Amino acid sequence: MTEPADIRKKEVIFIINPASGVRSKNRMEDMIRTYLDKERYNQTILYTERAGHAIELSRKAARDKTDIVVAVGGDGSLNEIAKGLIGTDTAMGIIPAGSGNGLAHHLRIPFRISKAIETINKGKIKKIDTIRINGELCVSIAGVGFDALVAKEFEKARRRGFQTYFRIILTEYLNYKPRKYKITIDGKKYKEKALFISFANSNQFGYNASIAPHATVDDGLIDVCIIKKIPLAKVVFLANLLFLKKIDQTNDITIIKGKEIKLSRKRSKIVNIDGEHVKLKKKLIIKIDPLSLNVIVP
């Protein structure tokens, strides 16, 4: 005799990226087994073994009609898992365990593991937008120019964390020359010389640094943030505005909302997509995909 559908235990798969900030596999597994509501959920714990593995695992989970797939890692891990879940009924849960954790900050996911798991227990689902850049998925934020260079150097760094991130910015900033870009936003054309340009679904890079203070993940719009290069002495001031969520109050940044953006640059170069650098063609087409991903939120 089967249980009625309304009291069926839901299936939850935790996909852990051991290369992220997960310091102890045993501790993470213990926390999951301790705090996940056993009356409501059956749990499975899986580990990624290589780049792209999380896409395979989450895609299979969606095919198997798994209720929730939990990303245990940073924005790069979230990106891979979202690729497997996009456009399906399976929801993505988040346990922040990366460096910047931009989407987790934006969605106000608790950073204490026990509290993040309690959020999953409540099972509140929110549909969020995603972005496509030449077909590549972005769930939080993408960018070209200096932003992408920092992402590339950060990936190569032996140590992660905010200090490393900030050191890379200071090291690379002086010698970086602003690039020229041609941009079309919903049919309107712009020519810009910029330090970098961000395409924001959520409001921030991570570390609570808000590049697009008024961006929301369910408005059907991309916040295009065009940032000029400023004297190094002013960088600290600008950084403070990032953390105060007031960066839009300076003339050094222009933010334009749109649904479809076309950008051309002189040559094919890297793009920062959710903290990972990806080489794409010199012409980019960036589109919003409204309410295309289910996410567990507080």
Side-chain angles (χ1 to χ4, degrees):
M1 184 175 178
T2 58
E3 293 178 320
D6 60 343
I7 61 170
R8 174 186 69 87
K9 282 189 180 183
K10 292 187 176 182
E11 298 295 328
V12 184
I13 294 177
F14 292 81
I15 299 179
I16 300 175
N17 177 8
S20 67
V22 181
R23 292 177 185 154
S24 169
K25 294 181 183 179
N26 290 337
R27 180 172 181 269
M28 182 61 73
E29 289 191 17
D30 288 343
M31 294 290 281
I32 291 168
R33 293 188 176 110
T34 299
Y35 289 100
L36 189 70
D37 187 345
K38 299 175 185 63
E39 297 296 318
R40 296 186 64 191
Y41 300 108
N42 294 318
Q43 53 89 7
T44 303
I45 299 173
L46 304 174
Y47 289 90
T48 57
E49 300 171 359
R50 60 189 179 278
H53 193 202
I55 304 173
E56 299 169 22
L57 295 174
S58 58
R59 191 169 286 155
K60 182 180 184 305
R63 284 199 306 266
D64 293 342
K65 307 297 182 183
T66 303
D67 297 286
I68 301 169
V69 174
V70 180
V72 185
D75 285 325
S77 299
L78 268 63
N79 178 286
E80 286 201 0
I81 289 168
K83 284 177 180 175
L85 304 183
I86 195 88
T88 74
D89 292 330
T90 301
M92 182 173 72
I94 301 171
I95 296 180
S99 298
N101 300 300
L103 186 62
H105 276 294
H106 178 86
L107 295 174
R108 298 184 179 177
I109 305 293
F111 276 64
R112 282 179 59 186
I113 297 171
S114 60
K115 295 296 183 182
I117 296 171
E118 287 174 13
T119 297
I120 294 164
N121 285 337
K122 292 175 184 176
K124 180 182 176 182
I125 295 176
K126 177 184 180 73
K127 286 186 175 292
I128 71 168
D129 305 333
T130 56
I131 296 172
R132 292 281 182 179
I133 304 165
N134 287 12
E136 292 287 334
L137 181 71
C138 171
V139 295
S140 184
I141 198 162
V144 296
F146 186 70
D147 172 29
L149 173 64
V150 171
K152 181 180 178 181
E153 294 302 315
F154 189 69
E155 279 186 64
K156 295 191 296 186
R158 290 185 179 181
R159 299 184 66 180
R160 293 295 182 105
F162 180 74
Q163 288 185 337
T164 299
Y165 189 78
F166 197 65
R167 175 182 56 77
I168 291 170
I169 290 173
L170 294 179
T171 301
E172 301 291 340
Y173 190 83
L174 281 177
N175 294 324
Y176 189 88
K177 294 181 180 179
R179 307 292 198 257
K180 292 180 180 178
Y181 300 96
K182 292 179 181 179
I183 314 169
T184 303
I185 303 174
D186 291 345
K188 189 171 182 179
K189 296 181 178 181
Y190 304 83
K191 288 185 179 180
E192 300 289 346
K193 189 175 183 181
L195 176 69
F196 65 91
I197 299 175
S198 291
F199 310 104
N201 187 35
S202 76
N203 65 1
Q204 63 167 278
F205 293 127
Y207 303 109
N208 260 327
S210 181
I211 188 65
H214 302 293
T216 59
V217 291
D218 58 356
D219 62 354
L221 296 168
I222 301 165
D223 283 44
V224 183
C225 310
I226 304 164
I227 297 86
K228 299 176 184 176
K229 187 170 184 181
I230 58 175
L232 186 61
K234 197 177 176 183
V235 169
V236 174
F237 168 73
L238 205 67
N240 284 333
L241 292 180
L242 277 172
F243 292 108
L244 292 170
K245 295 180 171 55
K246 295 181 178 180
I247 192 72
D248 58 327
Q249 296 180 17
T250 172
N251 293 329
D252 300 311
I253 182 171
T254 301
I255 300 176
I256 305 166
K257 291 179 180 286
K259 294 180 179 180
E260 181 174 335
I261 298 94
K262 296 178 182 178
L263 180 143
S264 63
R265 44 199 180 156
K266 286 188 175 180
R267 59 182 67 90
S268 300
K269 284 195 173 182
I270 56 174
V271 178
N272 170 19
I273 298 180
D274 292 330
E276 308 287 333
H277 77 280
V278 180
K279 189 170 182 179
L280 297 177
K281 293 179 179 180
K282 63 182 181 180
K283 291 186 178 180
L284 303 177
I285 298 177
I286 303 103
K287 294 182 179 180
I288 197 75
D289 191 358
L291 307 180
S292 50
L293 182 66
N294 294 313
V295 182
I296 303 290
V297 298

